Amino acid sequence: MSISPEHYDELVVIRHYIHEHPELSGEEVATTQFLTDYLTGLDIAVLDTGLKTGLVAQIGSGQPVIALRADIDALPIIENTGLTFASKHAGVMHACGHDLHQTSLLGAAKLLKQREAEIQGTIKLIFQQAEETHVGANEVLETGVLSDVAAIIGFHNMPDLPVGQIGLRDKGIMAAVDQFYVTVNGTGSHAAYPNQGVDSILALSAIITSLQQLVSRNIDPQHAVVVSVTHVAAGNTWNVLPDKAIFEGTIRTFAPEDRTLAKKRFYEIVENVAAAHGVSVDIDWIFGTNVTYNDSELSAVMFDDMKNWHEDVVVPVPSNAGEDFASYQEQIPGVFAFIGSNGPGSPGLHFSNMVVKDETIGVAVDYYVNNAFLLLKRFSLKK
């Protein structure tokens, strides 16, 4: 770990403060101000992007330009960790570890600023808003502030990996994400006279059950695809069959052909089962993110170099979770890694009792700093 004990202690305090004060996607106003104040206190320039929340800062000047990214938003989850620094904002929690991500990038920013004389080029620091709603990365890209960036890196903590273990693989490391919201339109009636209506709840139940065959009977068994219905709602009382019922959820894929097929079969199953039950359906299909797809050349270079300064570097299993870091990778060669933050058997991402261990901070700071210099050197040689 390259950070001093004093610097580590400072970052622990910062991380605990951020964890106590989480803000939802697009609402990270106080978080953005906190980050801005810390960076300007280090005499690091914060660029004028016009973003409502989130920020991009800059260290160094000239070419090449590389970018380091951390996300800053939290989730609408009631915290159940029992931590002394648990969320003070009711119903909002850093249940994905974004408090760790932004703290680690702040730690890297301080070290990089101290070593600015060694920086041959420019390092842009992205503290990105609204990752959980899949819009933040595109909002940053639309500002044009990354138009000169040659490469971008990021990471996500993984609670089920040992603390500090770094996982990196080329190509797909996190899944493509699609969302669906379906309204089932029946005809309401008294519960005692179901023959006088068309039961939206019965139809909804049949549709959801039928969707379970989408993966098992349509997708290559060697491919990873997930269909999850996560929210169901219908009715207001015990003795009335409602007019409408809704369900929503997500589909996760890695291969483009699987993504296309899953959507096609989803529509066919939902519409045909609905027709068999005499109801109509409205389907809202919401694009989330593409596959987080690592540049093969850069991944290999980073993997080999990380083994020189860190003893626990592995090739991880891809995650079915999604990341809007994929949006950067569609325009800029990029690499995204996992860093272990607790250990096997620990509560996972988005769990109300997920705990990220502070000891992860040092490795995450090293990941940013060492790879920043590696990429600057690599792209300087290509000029």
Side-chain angles (χ1 to χ4, degrees):
M1 185 170 72
S2 62
I3 60 176
S4 67
E6 293 77 18
H7 190 193
Y8 172 77
D9 290 343
E10 176 195 20
L11 293 176
V12 168
V13 171
I14 288 173
R15 191 214 146 204
H16 290 186
Y17 174 82
I18 293 173
H19 189 90
E20 286 180 315
H21 300 87
E23 294 178 296
L24 296 175
S25 304
E27 300 176 11
E28 312 94 328
V29 176
T31 302
T32 300
Q33 189 61 55
F34 176 84
L35 296 168
T36 300
D37 292 344
Y38 185 85
L39 292 167
T40 54
L42 297 174
D43 198 28
I44 295 174
V46 175
L47 304 180
D48 183 8
T49 62
L51 293 169
K52 175 187 170 185
T53 58
L55 65 90
V56 180
Q58 179 173 305
I59 302 172
S61 62
Q63 298 291 327
V65 182
I66 61 104
L68 314 178
R69 177 269 202 171
D71 35 16
I72 67 173
D73 53 334
L75 287 157
I77 292 175
I78 299 172
E79 182 161 353
N80 186 33
T81 61
L83 295 171
T84 58
F85 54 94
S87 172
K88 293 182 177 179
H89 296 173
V92 185
M93 176 190 174
H94 271 299
C96 205
H98 296 183
D99 52 329
L100 168 74
H101 302 170
Q102 57 190 298
T103 299
S104 301
L105 189 52
L106 287 178
K110 185 171 185 176
L111 291 183
L112 290 168
K113 184 63 179 179
Q114 291 171 351
R115 299 174 61 182
E116 189 167 18
E118 303 173 42
I119 297 174
Q120 297 182 17
T122 303
I123 300 172
K124 291 187 175 179
L125 312 171
I126 306 166
F127 292 85
Q128 184 208 301
Q129 73 290 352
E131 187 279 326
E132 297 292 354
T133 52
H134 311 306
V135 300
N138 284 322
E139 289 174 348
V140 174
L141 287 164
E142 288 167 3
T143 69
V145 73
L146 304 184
S147 61
D148 55 354
V149 172
I152 184 169
I153 66 169
F155 82 90
H156 206 292
N157 82 92
M158 280 293 160
D160 60 347
L161 295 180
V163 172
Q165 184 179 85
I166 300 176
L168 179 60
R169 63 184 300 128
D170 69 346
K171 301 181 180 177
I173 192 168
M174 297 187 80
V177 178
D178 289 300
Q179 296 172 246
F180 52 82
Y181 187 99
V182 178
T183 303
V184 179
N185 305 296
T187 302
S189 70
H190 194 296
Y193 303 100
N195 58 300
Q196 296 178 2
V198 181
D199 192 345
S200 61
I201 294 179
L202 180 62
L204 175 145
S205 301
I207 292 169
I208 293 174
T209 299
S210 296
L211 283 172
Q212 303 314 304
Q213 67 171 292
L214 193 158
V215 174
S216 67
R217 292 299 178 266
N218 293 272
I219 304 297
D220 184 333
Q222 301 298 319
H223 293 195
V225 175
V226 174
V227 178
S228 291
V229 175
T230 57
H231 176 210
V232 176
N236 298 298
T237 189
W238 68 277
N239 61 350
V240 177
L241 292 173
D243 291 326
K244 297 181 184 294
I246 68 96
F247 69 93
E248 62 180 325
T250 183
I251 294 182
R252 308 297 170 104
T253 55
F254 283 91
E257 62 271 22
D258 291 340
R259 193 177 197 181
T260 299
L261 178 59
K263 181 178 180 180
K264 175 177 179 291
R265 290 296 293 136
F266 181 91
Y267 271 78
E268 290 173 349
I269 291 169
V270 171
E271 291 174 344
N272 289 330
V273 175
H277 285 76
V279 301
S280 65
V281 288
D282 299 313
I283 302 173
D284 292 323
W285 192 267
I286 305 156
F287 175 85
T289 67
N290 285 324
V291 174
T292 307
Y293 198 85
N294 283 339
D295 182 271
S296 293
E297 180 182 346
L298 291 182
S299 296
V301 170
M302 287 175 56
F303 190 93
D304 288 342
D305 185 74
M306 284 191 293
K307 289 189 292 186
N308 294 326
W309 54 263
H310 191 63
E311 62 184 13
D312 196 5
V313 182
V314 301
V315 178
V317 175
S319 169
N320 284 336
E323 244 288 350
D324 78 350
F325 190 85
S327 295
Y328 299 117
Q329 293 174 311
E330 291 168 25
Q331 299 187 28
I332 306 166
V335 176
F336 198 75
F338 298 148
I339 298 181
S341 57
N342 199 318
S346 302
L349 302 174
H350 294 206
F351 279 62
S352 64
N353 60 341
M354 188 196 84
V355 173
V356 169
K357 293 186 176 179
D358 291 325
E359 292 83 354
T360 312
I361 294 172
V363 177
V365 171
D366 286 348
Y367 170 81
Y368 280 132
V369 173
N370 292 338
N371 284 307
F373 281 106
L374 173 70
L375 293 176
L376 283 174
K377 181 179 179 180
R378 180 170 182 78
F379 282 93
S380 291
L381 295 174
K382 287 189 172 186
K383 288 195 298 184

